Amino acid sequence: QVQLVESGGGSVQAGGSLRLSCAASGFTRSSNSMGWFRQAPGKEREGVATISTNGLTIYAGSVKGRFTISRDNTKNTLYLQMNTLKPEDTAMYYCAARDASWLGVIPLLPHLFGYWGQGTQVTVSS
């Protein structure tokens, strides 16, 4: 049974930092393409960053240079380091995984990911 469990969300002031973690279990593959997505109230879910099976990453323009996605395959854990946070980063952040192969950079498209965590809230105050 595939499970993704996020942690690390919270409330911070603008300019602060947070690190999100996503513990993955139950996959048949040792390494999967994974990503972080977010959804603010009244808005559609949007891609934040993805990392492919072989470590290729892509970021949304709004977070590029501030956020870093990484993974520790020995711990089956995905991370999102978020620096210089802004109020517009406030959202529920979701971890997602794709249990199928994908060559190259995997796009920031929610429909490419079949497994989702329950989300962790990030609130940034000005």
Side-chain angles (χ1 to χ4, degrees):
Q1 180 180 354
V2 172
Q3 194 170 19
L4 299 173
V5 180
E6 302 100 331
S7 60
S11 297
V12 295
Q13 290 195 326
S17 298
L18 284 173
R19 188 176 84 154
L20 305 182
S21 299
C22 173
S25 61
F27 286 103
T28 56
R29 298 164 55 90
S30 59
S31 178
N32 298 276
S33 294
M34 300 186 74
W36 289 98
F37 293 78
R38 65 187 182 187
Q39 188 166 17
K43 294 188 176 182
E44 291 188 356
R45 189 168 297 190
E46 64 173 356
V48 176
T50 65
I51 183 166
S52 69
T53 302
N54 56 351
L56 297 176
T57 60
I58 187 173
Y59 295 89
S62 60
V63 306
K64 207 168 188 179
R66 300 188 297 122
F67 291 11
T68 302
I69 189 171
S70 63
R71 66 195 303 166
D72 184 338
N73 289 334
T74 65
K75 298 180 179 179
N76 293 324
T77 302
L78 179 73
Y79 302 100
L80 184 68
Q81 178 66 45
M82 305 186 295
N83 298 328
T84 320
L85 282 161
K86 303 176 181 180
E88 50 264 44
D89 294 319
T90 295
M92 185 71 81
Y93 282 71
Y94 297 91
C95 169
R98 174 182 171 88
D99 195 13
S101 63
W102 184 277
L103 298 179
V105 173
I106 186 162
L108 298 165
L109 299 173
H111 74 267
L112 295 179
F113 296 82
Y115 300 97
W116 294 82
Q118 81 290 348
T120 185
Q121 178 68 37
V122 172
T123 303
V124 185
S125 57
S126 58

